[in-house]
């Protein structure tokens, strides 16, 4: 471990300088020689490093999402080469190369903070051996050697002998109890972080080598921390326990608010989103609109949880839009343009109203009357005979009429004023033209 730490000695001075700056602040509050001042300085160093690694963490999330989009293709490769594991692995690697994804992207934050971890180990090892390192001079070295966290010195290890521990002003029992508890907490936090990733945020419908690798790391990492933790100084255990807790909280936030499609976390998230949207009648946050927009864009490729979400919105009278917004169904129906295109851009066919039999008959009678009126007003009937026919009809309107229906009453006169009743059509209802007789 000392040899590995010496490889990162180039970053020892910056790490020691940051610790000293935080120590000068906390020393004024808790005292310069207390374990609180030095312990919180290490915790602050972790927080500062993890904040600087947030862009890398975002990149990791994007790479993970890219891996998830490849899962349908991975499933096809698995089915095609299910009897040839070597060819299956080759095709998987070819797919990773063509899409530009990296299955080891989840390890990027760990690899990025490794230099800081070994640099801190190098600093604390110098404190344990009583040698100045970086910007830590003799006065700061003496202060750090006096600092204890729950009775355990910062530079003490689980494997240290009683003589070395007594030289740091502590008892061997206190050192081993404190270090054992911190090692257990460190391993448990790492295991829980990896377990919630595998059980809640993974699409279990597709099994890939990436999933098998993550499952293996879920058990390997805690064992590694337990084995190597007994050789870590208390200050390094504080560092690693803090970064594990940070990772666990960060992972919980991502799983809750940006789950993997097809995972149990997505089912829980869409259930919460359904209750929220149906209560308020719209999506209120940008993250919600992003999720809804992605679901709408999938169309028929939606998974079971996404289809359930869309169906729940439909039952509540809501409609998801292509831009991620959610509107009421009635408002969408009203928001039609003149050419029949709704707010979602889908054209709807206008269906005619269904009429009753009586309405159809009355309409036919009215159309027949309009036809007769139009024919009487035509230029062919504008001659003298038509005029005489009209006059005769008006003069005889006061005389008693036949028992024929009104539809069969016609003005007398020229051939153009001849009514349709004279053609031998049936009484009542819509009139049909008489078929010509066959000679």
């Amino acid at each position: 471990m000392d040899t590995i730490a010496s490889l990162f000695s180039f970053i020892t001075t910056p790490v020691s300088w940051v610790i000293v700056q935080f120590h000068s602040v906390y020393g004024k509050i808790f005292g310069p020689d207390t374990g609180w001042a030095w312990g919180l300085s290490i915790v602050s160093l972790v927080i500062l490093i993890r904040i600087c690694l947030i862009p890398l963490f975002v990149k990791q999330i994007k790479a993970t999402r890219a891996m998830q989009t490849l899962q349908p293709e991975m499933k096809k490769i698995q089915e095609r080469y299910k009897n040839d594991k070597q060819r299956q692995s080759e095709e998987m690697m070819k797919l990773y190369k063509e899409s530009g994804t990296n299955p080891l992207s989840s390890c990027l934050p760990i690899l990025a903070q490794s230099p800081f971890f070994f640099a801190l180990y190098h600093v604390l090892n110098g404190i344990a051996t009583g040698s100045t390192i970086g910007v830590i001079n003799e006065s700061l070295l003496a202060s750090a050697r006096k600092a204890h966290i729950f009775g355990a010195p910062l530079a003490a290890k689980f494997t240290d002998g009683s003589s070395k521990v007594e030289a740091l002003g502590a008892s061997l029992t206190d050192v081993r109890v404190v270090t054992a508890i911190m090692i257990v907490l460190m391993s448990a936090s790492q295991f829980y972080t990896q377990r919630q990733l595998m059980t809640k945020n993974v699409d279990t419908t597709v099994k890939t080598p990436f999933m098998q690798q993550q499952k293996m790391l879920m058990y390997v990492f805690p064992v590694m921390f337990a084995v190597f933790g007994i050789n870590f100084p208390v200050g390094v255990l504080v560092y690693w326990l803090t970064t594990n807790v940070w990772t666990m909280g960060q992972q919980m936030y991502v799983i809750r608010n940006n789950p993997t499609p097809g995972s149990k976390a997505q089912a829980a998230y869409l259930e919460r989103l359904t209750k929220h949207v149906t209560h308020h009648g719209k999506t209120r946050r940008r993250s919600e609109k992003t999720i809804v927009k992605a679901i709408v864009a999938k169309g028929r490729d939606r998974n079971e949880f996404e289809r359930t979400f869309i169906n729940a919105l439909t039952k509540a009278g809501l409609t998801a839009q292509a831009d991620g917004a959610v509107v009421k169904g009635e408002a969408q129906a009203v928001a039609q343009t003149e050419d029949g295109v709704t707010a979602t851009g889908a054209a709807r066919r206008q269906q005619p109203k269904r009429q009753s039999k009586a309405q159809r008959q009355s309409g036919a009678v009215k159309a027949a009357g309009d036809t007769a009126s139009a024919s009487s007003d035509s230029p062919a009937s504008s001659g003298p005979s038509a005029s005489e026919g009209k006059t005769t009809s008006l003069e005889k309107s006061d005389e008693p009429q036949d028992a024929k229906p009104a539809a069969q009453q016609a003005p007398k006169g020229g051939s153009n004023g001849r009514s349709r009743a004279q053609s031998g059509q049936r009484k009542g209802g819509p009139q049909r033209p008489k078929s010509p007789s066959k000679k």
Side-chain angles (χ1 to χ4, degrees):
M1 185 65 70
D2 294 339
T3 304
I4 298 175
S6 62
L7 296 175
F8 296 94
S9 58
F10 65 93
I11 204 173
T12 299
T13 300
V15 169
S16 61
W17 182 84
V18 172
I19 292 177
V20 169
Q21 298 306 313
F22 281 120
H23 175 261
S24 63
V25 175
Y26 293 120
K28 296 177 181 178
I29 301 174
F30 302 102
D33 299 336
T34 60
W36 286 103
W38 286 99
L40 290 176
S41 299
I42 297 173
V43 171
S44 301
L45 172 67
V46 175
I47 295 174
L48 179 63
I49 293 173
R50 295 309 300 265
I51 291 175
C52 294
L53 291 178
I54 286 178
L56 186 61
F57 178 75
V58 173
K59 186 176 180 180
Q60 173 195 0
I61 294 297
K62 291 181 179 180
T64 305
R65 291 290 183 266
M67 288 288 298
Q68 293 163 1
T69 58
L70 295 178
Q71 288 185 354
E73 297 297 328
M74 294 178 183
K75 190 173 183 179
K76 292 179 181 178
I77 293 174
Q78 285 181 338
E79 294 175 354
R80 185 178 303 172
Y81 305 106
K82 58 183 179 181
N83 296 326
D84 190 351
K85 298 298 182 181
Q86 182 177 356
R87 182 67 183 276
Q88 185 182 118
S89 301
E90 291 175 357
E91 292 296 326
M92 288 286 187
M93 292 303 172
K94 183 179 179 181
L95 180 63
Y96 296 151
K97 186 177 180 180
E98 291 176 352
S99 60
T101 56
N102 185 5
L104 299 177
S105 57
S106 60
C107 301
L108 288 177
I110 296 176
L111 296 176
Q113 64 178 328
S114 297
F116 301 97
F117 169 77
F118 287 112
L120 178 63
Y121 180 88
H122 197 43
V123 170
L124 294 175
N125 190 53
I127 294 174
T129 56
S131 58
T132 59
I133 186 169
V135 298
I136 298 180
N137 52 30
E138 293 182 358
S139 60
L140 290 172
L141 179 62
S143 175
R145 288 175 67 87
K146 294 177 183 177
H148 292 68
I149 297 178
F150 301 109
L154 285 177
K157 305 176 186 177
F158 183 88
T159 56
D160 287 343
S162 57
S163 58
K164 187 174 182 178
V165 172
E166 290 175 359
L168 294 172
S171 66
L172 184 62
T173 302
D174 293 339
V175 170
R176 291 190 174 179
V177 169
V178 171
T179 53
I181 293 175
M182 295 181 74
I183 290 171
V184 170
L185 293 176
M186 184 176 62
S187 301
S189 59
Q190 178 64 36
F191 177 79
Y192 181 77
T193 300
Q194 199 68 23
R195 186 176 184 275
Q196 71 174 350
L197 179 66
M198 292 297 301
T199 57
K200 296 182 179 180
N201 204 38
V202 170
D203 186 1
T204 55
T205 59
V206 180
K207 295 182 179 181
T208 63
F210 174 72
M211 292 178 56
Q212 298 297 328
Q213 181 186 23
Q214 292 292 322
K215 188 175 182 179
M216 180 183 66
L217 293 177
M218 180 174 66
Y219 297 99
V220 171
F221 273 147
V223 174
M224 288 177 59
F225 283 127
V227 172
F228 293 108
I230 60 176
N231 294 312
F232 291 163
V234 173
V236 173
L237 295 178
V238 171
Y239 174 92
W240 207 248
L241 178 60
T242 305
T243 194
N244 280 0
V245 172
W246 176 284
T247 303
M248 182 174 64
Q250 189 173 251
Q251 190 69 48
M252 291 175 66
Y253 176 82
V254 172
I255 291 175
R256 180 177 176 83
N257 297 283
N258 193 14
T260 300
S263 63
K264 294 181 180 179
Q266 189 195 30
Y269 176 82
L270 291 180
E271 185 178 354
R272 295 193 304 268
L273 183 60
T274 302
K275 293 180 181 179
H276 178 79
V277 172
T278 53
H279 177 72
H280 295 283
K282 60 181 181 179
T283 50
R284 304 179 67 182
R285 293 192 293 268
R286 182 181 297 179
S287 59
E288 294 176 350
K289 290 185 177 181
T290 303
I291 295 293
V292 175
K293 181 179 179 180
I295 292 175
V296 172
K298 286 184 176 181
R300 296 183 178 180
D301 294 333
R302 300 184 189 115
N303 57 45
E304 178 185 356
F305 308 129
E306 294 166 346
R307 289 194 295 268
T308 303
F309 170 72
I310 295 296
N311 293 336
L313 292 183
T314 304
K315 290 180 181 179
L318 301 173
T319 305
Q321 305 294 301
D323 60 351
V326 174
V327 298
K328 293 184 178 180
E330 298 178 357
Q332 183 187 13
V334 173
Q336 290 181 344
T337 58
E338 294 180 357
D339 56 346
V341 179
T342 61
T344 58
R348 289 188 178 182
R349 183 180 177 182
Q350 300 296 328
Q351 297 292 338
K353 270 189 175 181
R354 185 182 180 89
Q355 295 181 347
S356 63
K357 183 177 181 180
Q359 289 175 337
R360 292 195 300 271
Q361 289 178 353
S362 62
V365 172
K366 185 177 179 181
D370 292 343
T371 304
S373 175
S375 64
S376 65
D377 292 340
S378 62
S381 64
S382 61
S385 61
S387 175
E388 292 174 2
K390 281 186 179 180
T391 305
T392 306
S393 177
L394 290 173
E395 287 175 356
K396 292 184 178 182
S397 62
D398 295 333
E399 297 178 3
Q401 299 294 325
D402 244 347
K404 294 180 181 181
Q408 296 182 6
Q409 299 296 329
K412 295 179 181 179
S415 60
N416 290 330
R418 187 180 180 185
S419 70
R420 297 177 61 187
Q422 295 175 357
S423 62
Q425 295 179 356
R426 60 181 180 178
K427 300 179 181 179
Q431 303 298 323
R432 293 182 297 179
K434 187 175 181 179
S435 59
S437 59
K438 297 182 180 178
K439 292 184 181 181

